[in-house]
Amino acid sequence: MLFDFPQAPLQPLSLPWLATANVEAAILRLDLIDPLVSGNKWFKLRNHLQQASVSKAPGLISLGGNHSNHLHALAAAGKRFGFATAGLLRGHAQETPTVRDLQALGMKLHWLGYGGYRARNEPGFWGPWQARYPGWHCIPEGGGGPAGAQGCALIMEQARAQITALGWPGYDAWWLAAGTGTTLAGLVLAEAGAHAVHGALAVPRDHGVPDAVVALAGAHGYQLHDACRGGFGKFDDELLAFVAECELHSGVPLEALYTGKALLALRDKVEAGLFAPGARLIVVHTGGLQGRRGYL
Ligand SMILES: *Cc1c(COP(=O)(O)O)cnc(C)c1O
């Protein structure tokens, strides 16, 4: 299929606190699938790209902040697959490494201010943009919604194809960072109850994961864990030290906002005995490394 991507490697993840608890983990390196279209964002975009292709849309339009991994992946995918792209940005014009990349990738940028951006979920929001960009395919913030979630089912297939090569007889659970929860929803739907899926919420419950995703996880008996440490985009010294230490021990590059917070929440839960000795976990590296240029 035209918009399919290379296999993300599934690698043993070795960290002292996992060994102490006798919990085994492997990390699915979505950060390695492509230098530009990184992480879970390509999976979330896949069906949108297909829809845009079927409807012969000349371009793709979506929203995000000035470090947005989603807009970055969209701009790169647009360039790769021959779609024009437009990005609606939160706040006022600002140069960040991400914004420079978006421009270099040919994305047309519109700065909405803060109030304008807050209106993104109002019913009339897309009208003027559809008038300005006739026939373009509009993608919800973060690549969310059912089309985004369906593409994430492929994450499960990629991991399962590599379990035997790892020498594992099977696996017990997934662990991944959640923002909009779209990736999480995709895995929950794909697993259909076969294995537990744990979401580490990098965004506070009240303005992150939609109720529908929480309900979906709950319906399968899955737990969502708070990992946001005071808010999306907030850092603290313990988090940054933890990220540096994990990178050193595991050799896996991380960013603090999502993958770092998800691993720190995992450590706390492993130390609290959430997983029985001998448990095997698949940790998803959701990518996002381009974003860390903006804050580290
Ligand atoms: C966007 C992103 C997430 C969150 O994905 P959702 O599907 O919105 O939950 C997690 N990790 C990284 C690195 C991201 O860029």
Side-chain angles (χ1 to χ4, degrees):
M1 184 61 73
L2 176 59
F3 303 120
D4 278 351
F5 12 71
Q7 179 95 290
L10 181 66
Q11 304 172 340
L13 177 65
S14 124
L15 288 164
W17 40 273
L18 290 168
T20 303
N22 193 19
V23 168
E24 271 194 86
I27 185 159
L28 186 66
R29 299 285 307 273
L30 303 187
D31 58 312
L32 292 179
I33 58 174
D34 190 88
L36 286 177
V37 196
S38 164
N40 60 342
K41 299 302 184 282
W42 194 345
F43 292 83
K44 297 207 289 183
L45 283 174
R46 177 179 178 271
N47 287 7
H48 286 291
L49 293 168
Q50 264 168 5
Q51 287 172 10
S53 166
V54 167
S55 67
K56 301 204 168 20
L60 304 156
I61 182 165
S62 193
L63 328 96
N66 59 19
H67 302 298
S68 170
N69 295 325
H70 164 63
L71 287 183
H72 197 269
L74 180 68
K79 188 171 168 85
R80 173 106 28 107
F81 298 117
F83 295 103
T85 53
L88 310 181
L89 282 108
R90 178 175 49 233
H92 304 289
Q94 204 188 344
E95 279 264 308
T96 65
T98 305
V99 166
R100 278 194 289 276
D101 281 0
L102 298 181
Q103 285 165 332
L105 289 163
M107 179 175 263
K108 184 108 179 54
L109 304 185
H110 300 277
W111 296 88
L112 303 191
Y114 292 97
Y117 197 82
R118 262 195 300 279
R120 67 194 177 280
N121 296 322
E122 284 169 16
F125 177 82
W126 285 103
W129 297 108
Q130 279 164 338
R132 181 162 183 164
Y133 292 105
W136 285 39
H137 184 81
C138 303
I139 301 177
E141 187 180 37
Q150 279 155 18
C152 294
L154 291 168
I155 295 175
M156 183 190 77
E157 289 176 20
Q158 287 209 346
R160 284 191 179 179
Q162 299 176 76
I163 291 291
T164 311
L166 211 59
W168 286 11
Y171 61 97
D172 299 292
W174 292 88
W175 189 276
L176 73 155
T180 64
T182 309
T183 312
L184 174 82
L187 281 174
V188 168
L189 290 167
E191 282 285 358
H195 299 92
V197 183
H198 295 270
L201 307 184
V203 179
R205 251 310 303 279
D206 52 345
H207 45 274
V209 173
D211 292 342
V213 175
V214 176
L216 178 69
H220 287 277
Y222 297 155
Q223 303 169 36
L224 303 181
H225 310 280
D226 175 34
C228 80
R229 303 184 71 82
F232 179 66
K234 296 243 162 69
F235 311 110
D236 55 83
D237 291 344
E238 188 196 351
L239 173 68
L240 295 179
F242 172 81
V243 165
E245 198 183 293
C246 278
E247 288 185 320
L248 198 68
H249 279 290
S250 66
V252 177
L254 301 167
E255 45 67 64
L257 285 189
Y258 288 107
T259 45
K261 286 185 178 181
L263 276 183
L264 185 46
L266 175 62
R267 185 200 66 187
D268 290 347
K269 292 297 173 179
V270 163
E271 288 181 344
L274 179 65
F275 300 103
R280 293 188 174 88
L281 310 180
I282 301 175
V283 175
V284 182
H285 191 312
T286 41
L289 298 173
Q290 73 79 26
R292 75 177 173 176
R293 293 171 302 174
Y295 53 80
L296 287 183

